[in-house]
Amino acid sequence: MASLSRDRRVRFFDAGGKRKTMRLPAGVTMKQGEAFLVRVERLIGGVFTGAGLDPETVGWLASLDSTMYDKLVAVGLVPERASTLLGAFIDQYLADRKPEMKPRAHANLQGTADRLKAFIAPATPMRAVTADQTSRWRQSLAAAGLSVATVRHHVGNAKGFFNEARRRGLIATTPMAHLTSGSTAVKDSRFVSAGEAAAVVEASHGTQAKLLFGLARYAGLRIPSESHTLRWGDVDFASGIMDVESPKTAHFAGHERRRVPIFPELMKLLQAAFDEAEAGQERVITLGVGGHMNRTLASAIKRAGLTAWANQWKALRSSCERQWALAYPQHAVSKWIGHSITVSGKHYLGDVPEELFQRATGLQTVAAKGGPESGPLQSGKGGKPMVSAAVHFTDTLENQGSALGGTAYQSGRQDLNLRPLDPQSSVLAKLNYAPFRRLDFGWPPVKTPSRRPAKRQDHHHRPTRWSVNRWGFTYGHLWQ
């Protein structure tokens, strides 16, 4: 425990049992000294016992001026305070993180630091940075023409700077807590169909260009981080599986590599590139990394007669996953593509494809059959044809059955007597079910006899006839 003398000296014993003394500045009252003593006791309990400091004490330390903070440093209660100037702190933080970060990630942080120091003077103390300044900095990024995703990316990086300063006790609160950061969901992702992909492959010049396109569209590889690290030793032609190294997710345990199936479209491209590979060549893709990859793809898209789309390589990866999701379980697709199911739904899958709607409703098969039985029965709103629900239902069953069992399904279908509902021949009609005797289903409903039996003059109830109510149920009373 610490004590406060009448001459405003704070005395306590450190972890080694050595007596420590700290003199408070002149002019500090006894009451103020007692309040300071409480803070010191919290520091002693947190530092010497290893329990850590509570947020209130951390904020108090950040609010102390250099004179009082240096007194605490002299008695061993707190470490030396790092530079609290914005520019010096960020530079030191980036230097400390550089050995453990990938070059591209470190370059992204450096870009954010440069933009932040260009707006807020580097000589500004960290504690002096206000929420208004950070809000105006974010507005300046948007005014510079940066996309929403890029602005949120820079804000997230800057939040990391101030959060680290708060963890070190240099500031009490972060001035960027109110700003929105994080990734943004894709609003309109271009789906490159299988036919379009085949046309682009045909229009591409060179085996390497075709293979690079195929790795993105048919295997969902990230370009260029995964495509250019792929080696021929990672491709197993016999089993049809590639072992893909994933630098982006390498810092997550168990996500350093993933296995991806080689579909027939990609197998042809890989085999052609393997036949042309030189002896001793390790890398599957030998093309250089740079803007020429985008220009080469854009030229192939134009020669194929298609309109160019934004985010060319990412759209191919997204299209690959969306096509896989139509035929395979999503947990397997997410494993193949290299991210979680949550990320798939937010960034890659987008809207439900029309193909799934057609497969679920069966309207595609009905329209393909044509003829009087499956064609439009009457004109609907806006001149659009209306399809019989009964024909549509049984046609869907036929399609699903042919895929699930063929002849065996047709046999079972005959046993179940599944066919378009006929009010005169259905089982319900044979049971004298009232709604099938009256097909108008209009409103108001047909009036039916009252439930209560008629009374005779002698007030004796007689057995009533069988009656039918408005819903078609028959009943009778045997009152006596």
Side-chain angles (χ1 to χ4, degrees):
M1 296 294 292
S3 61
L4 178 67
S5 64
R6 300 183 69 85
D7 58 350
R8 312 301 188 268
R9 293 175 184 267
V10 177
R11 296 184 175 91
F12 63 94
F13 292 94
D14 61 11
K18 186 176 181 180
R19 189 184 185 106
K20 297 288 185 177
T21 303
M22 182 176 61
R23 182 188 293 272
L24 297 181
V28 175
T29 64
M30 196 67 180
K31 187 175 182 178
Q32 292 172 341
E34 291 175 353
F36 186 84
L37 182 65
V38 173
R39 303 288 190 180
V40 171
E41 289 180 343
R42 290 185 181 179
L43 284 175
I44 295 173
V47 175
F48 294 162
T49 64
L53 302 180
D54 57 277
E56 183 180 356
T57 304
V58 173
W60 173 74
L61 286 175
S63 63
L64 287 178
D65 59 8
S66 300
T67 302
M68 291 303 300
Y69 192 88
D70 291 341
K71 288 180 178 292
L72 295 175
V73 173
V75 295
L77 288 179
V78 294
E80 291 187 9
R81 176 179 278 177
S83 176
T84 57
L85 300 182
L86 177 66
F89 173 79
I90 292 179
D91 292 341
Q92 185 62 42
Y93 173 75
L94 293 177
D96 295 340
R97 292 288 310 276
K98 187 173 183 178
E100 64 185 32
M101 297 184 67
K102 297 178 181 178
R104 185 173 181 181
H106 189 269
N108 290 335
L109 283 182
Q110 186 65 56
T112 302
D114 295 340
R115 290 179 179 274
L116 184 62
K117 290 187 293 184
F119 188 84
I120 303 176
T124 304
M126 296 285 290
R127 290 178 294 171
V129 179
T130 63
D132 178 67
Q133 285 180 304
T134 57
S135 297
R136 289 189 286 109
W137 173 68
R138 187 188 190 282
Q139 294 172 0
S140 69
L141 297 179
L146 301 181
S147 64
V148 176
T150 303
V151 170
R152 295 179 67 169
H153 176 73
H154 284 302
V155 171
N157 290 342
K159 277 186 174 181
F161 301 152
F162 286 96
N163 288 337
E164 181 62 23
R166 182 171 57 85
R167 282 191 292 268
R168 296 183 184 183
L170 303 181
I171 56 176
T173 58
T174 170
M176 307 194 74
H178 64 290
L179 299 181
T180 303
S181 60
S183 59
T184 56
V186 176
K187 295 182 178 179
D188 185 17
S189 178
R190 171 71 156 84
F191 177 73
V192 182
S193 65
E196 293 174 333
V200 175
V201 170
E202 186 67 24
S204 298
H205 292 165
T207 304
Q208 284 287 311
K210 294 181 179 181
L211 179 57
L212 184 61
F213 179 88
L215 291 175
R217 177 56 181 85
Y218 300 131
L221 266 62
R222 296 181 177 93
I223 309 296
S225 62
E226 294 177 351
S227 60
H228 286 64
T229 57
L230 187 66
R231 304 173 183 271
W232 286 116
D234 301 329
V235 181
D236 189 348
F237 287 95
S239 63
I241 296 177
M242 293 189 303
D243 189 13
V244 179
E245 180 182 355
S246 181
K248 183 176 181 180
T249 59
H251 58 286
F252 295 109
H255 295 271
E256 299 85 359
R257 308 183 72 89
R258 70 179 187 275
R259 303 175 70 209
V260 181
I262 304 175
F263 286 83
E265 299 86 353
L266 180 60
M267 182 65 78
K268 298 178 182 177
L269 302 177
L270 283 171
Q271 188 64 56
F274 183 77
D275 295 339
E276 294 183 4
E278 299 179 357
Q281 177 180 324
E282 293 185 1
R283 303 284 184 178
V284 174
I285 297 296
T286 58
L287 296 176
V289 178
H292 66 279
M293 296 193 310
N294 296 332
R295 294 190 294 270
T296 301
L297 177 57
S299 300
I301 294 173
K302 185 177 181 180
R303 287 193 297 270
L306 304 176
T307 303
W309 55 81
N311 298 322
Q312 294 177 341
W313 298 108
K314 187 174 182 179
L316 295 176
R317 175 174 159 84
S318 173
S319 301
C320 175
E321 180 173 5
R322 292 174 68 179
Q323 184 168 353
W324 284 351
L326 297 177
Y328 304 99
Q330 185 57 48
H331 71 276
V333 173
S334 297
K335 285 285 188 180
W336 296 343
I337 209 70
H339 52 229
S340 65
I341 296 179
T342 302
V343 174
S344 297
K346 184 178 181 180
H347 297 282
Y348 288 89
L349 295 183
D351 296 332
V352 179
E354 289 296 328
E355 181 180 346
L356 279 186
F357 283 102
Q358 295 172 357
R359 286 169 52 185
T361 59
L363 289 177
Q364 184 180 20
T365 306
V366 172
K369 278 190 171 183
E373 295 184 359
S374 60
L377 300 182
Q378 55 182 340
S379 178
K381 184 176 180 180
K384 295 181 179 180
M386 297 176 61
V387 182
S388 168
V391 174
H392 164 210
F393 173 72
T394 53
D395 185 79
T396 303
L397 289 179
E398 289 177 356
N399 294 330
Q400 296 175 353
S402 61
L404 294 176
T407 307
Y409 173 81
Q410 294 295 334
S411 176
R413 181 180 180 275
Q414 294 175 2
D415 296 338
L416 293 175
N417 195 23
L418 292 177
R419 58 180 179 274
L421 295 178
D422 183 0
Q424 302 301 326
S425 62
S426 65
V427 177
L428 296 176
K430 292 179 180 179
L431 294 177
N432 201 24
Y433 186 51
F436 285 92
R437 296 201 308 270
R438 187 180 74 249
L439 298 177
D440 53 355
F441 296 101
W443 188 264
V446 179
K447 294 183 179 180
T448 56
S450 174
R451 295 185 181 184
R452 297 184 60 82
K455 294 184 178 180
R456 295 177 61 87
Q457 294 294 333
D458 55 2
H459 303 287
H460 290 289
H461 295 286
R462 302 294 184 186
T464 64
R465 295 181 178 180
W466 291 93
S467 304
V468 180
N469 62 10
R470 68 179 63 180
W471 297 282
F473 295 102
T474 59
Y475 63 92
H477 299 284
L478 296 175
W479 292 10
Q480 296 183 356

